[in-house]
Amino acid sequence: MISNKNILITGGTGMLGRSLKNKFTNSIFLNGSSDIDLTKRKSLNKISKLPNFDYIIHTAAITDLQENERNPDSAYQLHAGVVSHLQKKCRKFIYISAQGRKYRGVYYKTKYAGEKFTNNRKNDLVIRTNIVGNGGLNKWALSELRNNKKIKGYTNVYFNPVHVDQLSKFIYENINLIGKVNFCSFEILSKFDYLRKLSLFNNFSPENVVPIKFKKNMNLTVNENFSNRTFKVNLKLI
């Protein structure tokens, strides 16, 4: 754990950023493009004018996979291009990455590029994870189910997610880790099974979750090549 540290956190309006505000209560947050638009190259000049920090936690990301495909330059700039510039402004840099790096989508490729830049400094940290919470998949699914609409869940896309508050707690308690680590749940399940579990947990009918198949099997679970650097928790839905 830490106390009285000078910390900057990007992505303050995102799902993880909002959760981290409950842990790092005295930190400085960049709340999207209204502060600095990190998707633009002109942001580099603004980054250079930032004060120096003990820690920078880079959570800002374009999480909509289709938006990444539509705007690959913005995705690259946010996920990778700004990394070395942010590193210059801190003693310790923490990069929130993603599982599924072997896939060819812009999101996965740019996140992997960000990992490589981060690990150019030996004392920095990459956290590979897949989060759920009050946003993204959960927000969409519960909104549809609340209106008694049917939703589709992939039966052949697998992941072992953690709740965003579990990740915030992990970061807070392990901020001095270095290198690359996985943070995931013990439970591996398909997106379909996860949505059914979420539906039941919130007292909606699981029959409104319809099974479909993605064009090919997709494994978004942890990279077991780093199993000795993997931290696992029980899956939490809220």
Side-chain angles (χ1 to χ4, degrees), residues 12 17 44 49 60 85 95-96 100 114 121 184 186 188 196 206 220:
L44 300 181
K49 295 178 181 178
H85 299 273
Y95 184 79
I96 309 302
R121 291 204 319 186
C184 60
F186 289 102
I188 296 174
R196 281 178 62 89
L220 301 179

Side-chain angles (χ1 to χ4, degrees), residues 91-109:
R91 181 175 60 82
K92 172 71 173 289
F93 183 74
I94 298 172
Y95 184 79
I96 309 302
S97 191
Q99 300 300 339
R101 292 163 311 286
K102 70 178 182 179
Y103 295 106
R104 295 182 178 180
V106 170
Y107 176 74
Y108 300 109
K109 290 194 293 186

